[in-house]
Amino acid sequence: MHKPILIIGACGQIGTELTIELRNKYGSDKVIASDIREGSEALMKSGPFELLDATNYAAIEDVVMHYEIDEVYLMAAMLSATAEKFPMRAWNLNMNSLFNVLNLAKDRKISKVFWPSSIAVFGPNTPKENTPQNTIMEPSTVYGISKQSGERWCEYYFKKYGVDVRSVRYPGLISWKTMPGGGTTDYAVEIYHKALEKGAYECFLAENTKLPMMYMDDAIRATINLMDSPAEHIKVRSSYNLGSMSFTPKEIAKSIQKHLPGFQISYAPDFRQEIADSWPSSIDDREAREQWGWEPKFDLDQTTAEMLKNLRK
Ligand code: SER
């Protein structure tokens, strides 16, 4: 029987689907959802929930003790676009929440941690195509700096204190159950909603901005597979590159037009263009494939078909 799991930030775009999937796998009462606000009806009905501020160590410790939590998935964070507007709040949330969870593991109050990193750890001086696992990083956004620092701290806690922390650098994630909030890759979700509502979308990135992306089902599978893998297979303790597909706004529009021939896209790049321009176009994820069997399943057209089918319901 699996020991209890705590998801912090369970009501967000990733947390919602991760919580439901882990509940399907281990049983509803084994997976405690928490967030600073309540989530979707589907999530709230699916099992236990605690209101929890990820920056409050004592509050997290209380929940961990009460439910005898063994593993924590820390999904609370301020994303790239919002973090540019509130740099200190982003730094505070993204770093303190991580220290809280790493310190619980260091003190052996929990035994395993998942913490997500991002393609945002890379920067303008990083090789753009097939970005390697180990390369120049130099992130230029507040969010990227917090994720890069977080990676260094994860590796440090693993080496110094033997903390079993595992991480992937998610690309932009595409899903239909919960909207993303405040990211630079959010356009790739919004576009499907607008395609069905209005038949048109004004994109905040330029037509040829190519970014790494992934369908949520693949991201959840990667996360759970990584956490299920034997510790000795996990050689990277900062964070794994994780690739799937790469596309531009123009290409996603074309994919949508195969289903909705009248769909129109226009472009009005804003401050998020500069963020997108600093990130990789494609990712070399060899380590994840070799060390714990990562393999993506959804390409762009399959993602489009799933998104349109589910959003129509
Ligand atoms: N999708 C995130 C963002 O755009 C990147 O991790 O901020």
Side-chain angles (χ1 to χ4, degrees):
M1 216 170 48
H2 205 275
K3 291 182 184 162
I5 295 171
L6 173 65
I7 320 279
I8 300 176
C11 298
Q13 189 200 8
I14 309 172
T16 299
E17 300 206 25
L18 183 62
T19 302
I20 291 170
E21 193 55 35
L22 287 170
R23 282 178 173 164
N24 290 339
K25 189 169 154 85
Y26 297 122
S28 293
D29 55 323
K30 288 275 175 268
V31 182
I32 314 307
S34 74
D35 207 305
I36 44 164
R37 60 188 162 90
E38 294 196 351
S40 69
E41 205 188 323
L43 177 84
M44 298 306 290
K45 280 209 267 188
S46 70
F49 178 83
E50 293 283 340
L51 276 178
L52 189 60
D53 173 356
T55 63
N56 184 338
Y57 178 85
I60 303 175
E61 191 183 24
D62 275 353
V63 172
V64 163
M65 293 302 156
H66 178 79
Y67 290 98
E68 298 178 17
I69 298 294
D70 187 53
E71 274 178 28
V72 174
Y73 290 70
L74 173 57
M75 311 311 285
M78 195 186 286
L79 294 191
S80 60
T82 313
E84 290 304 295
K85 294 183 177 154
F86 308 104
M88 286 300 115
R89 264 167 62 190
W91 180 256
N92 192 26
L93 170 62
N94 295 2
M95 299 315 295
N96 288 341
S97 60
L98 176 59
F99 279 122
N100 287 344
V101 173
L102 288 178
N103 285 329
L104 281 170
K106 177 185 168 214
D107 294 342
R108 302 298 183 255
K109 289 173 177 155
I110 53 176
S111 66
K112 217 193 253 187
V113 174
F114 178 82
W115 172 80
S117 186
S118 160
I119 53 165
V121 291
F122 299 113
N125 299 323
T126 303
K128 262 201 173 324
E129 289 291 348
N130 240 346
T131 301
Q133 175 69 38
N134 298 301
T135 184
I136 299 170
M137 297 174 91
E138 302 177 7
S140 57
T141 64
V142 173
Y143 176 70
I145 296 169
S146 77
K147 288 296 181 187
Q148 152 96 86
S149 310
E151 287 192 7
R152 304 310 339 133
W153 280 111
C154 286
E155 196 181 76
Y156 184 89
Y157 270 67
F158 170 73
K159 285 189 174 154
K160 279 270 164 170
Y161 309 123
V163 166
D164 188 355
V165 54
R166 304 172 181 207
S167 176
V168 292
R169 294 170 179 154
Y170 289 127
L173 296 180
I174 304 174
S175 67
W176 53 272
K177 286 188 185 146
T178 308
M179 288 298 271
T184 302
T185 55
D186 295 13
Y187 92 85
V189 177
E190 287 170 17
I191 193 168
Y192 292 108
H193 288 263
K194 296 288 183 233
L196 290 170
E197 283 164 25
K198 294 184 165 176
Y201 179 63
E202 186 180 89
C203 186
F204 58 75
L205 297 182
E207 61 181 334
N208 293 322
T209 308
K210 188 167 100 177
L211 289 170
M213 298 278 183
M214 185 178 289
Y215 189 55
M216 185 62 84
D217 291 30
D218 275 338
I220 299 295
R221 204 163 39 79
T223 306
I224 296 176
N225 284 352
L226 174 64
M227 288 296 273
D228 278 351
S229 296
E232 61 275 17
H233 291 192
I234 316 296
K235 308 282 185 218
V236 175
R237 292 294 183 158
S238 51
S239 189
Y240 279 96
N241 273 8
L242 198 65
S244 172
M245 53 184 141
S246 290
F247 58 77
T248 65
K250 196 173 171 179
E251 287 163 345
I252 191 176
K254 276 206 180 121
S255 175
I256 293 172
Q257 282 158 351
K258 291 179 191 167
H259 301 258
L260 303 165
F263 174 66
Q264 298 279 343
I265 185 164
S266 56
Y267 304 93
D270 66 13
F271 73 101
R272 288 168 282 195
Q273 184 65 46
E274 194 183 333
I275 302 178
D277 286 340
S278 78
W279 289 352
S281 300
S282 61
I283 296 292
D284 178 349
D285 59 1
R286 219 169 315 167
E287 276 86 345
R289 288 173 187 261
E290 287 168 5
Q291 293 172 17
W292 47 276
W294 162 242
E295 199 181 345
K297 290 196 172 145
F298 290 84
D299 65 15
L300 174 56
D301 283 337
Q302 287 166 307
T303 300
T304 297
E306 286 297 305
M307 287 297 288
L308 294 176
K309 180 182 80 192
N310 286 294
L311 289 176
R312 269 190 179 119
K313 279 182 195 161

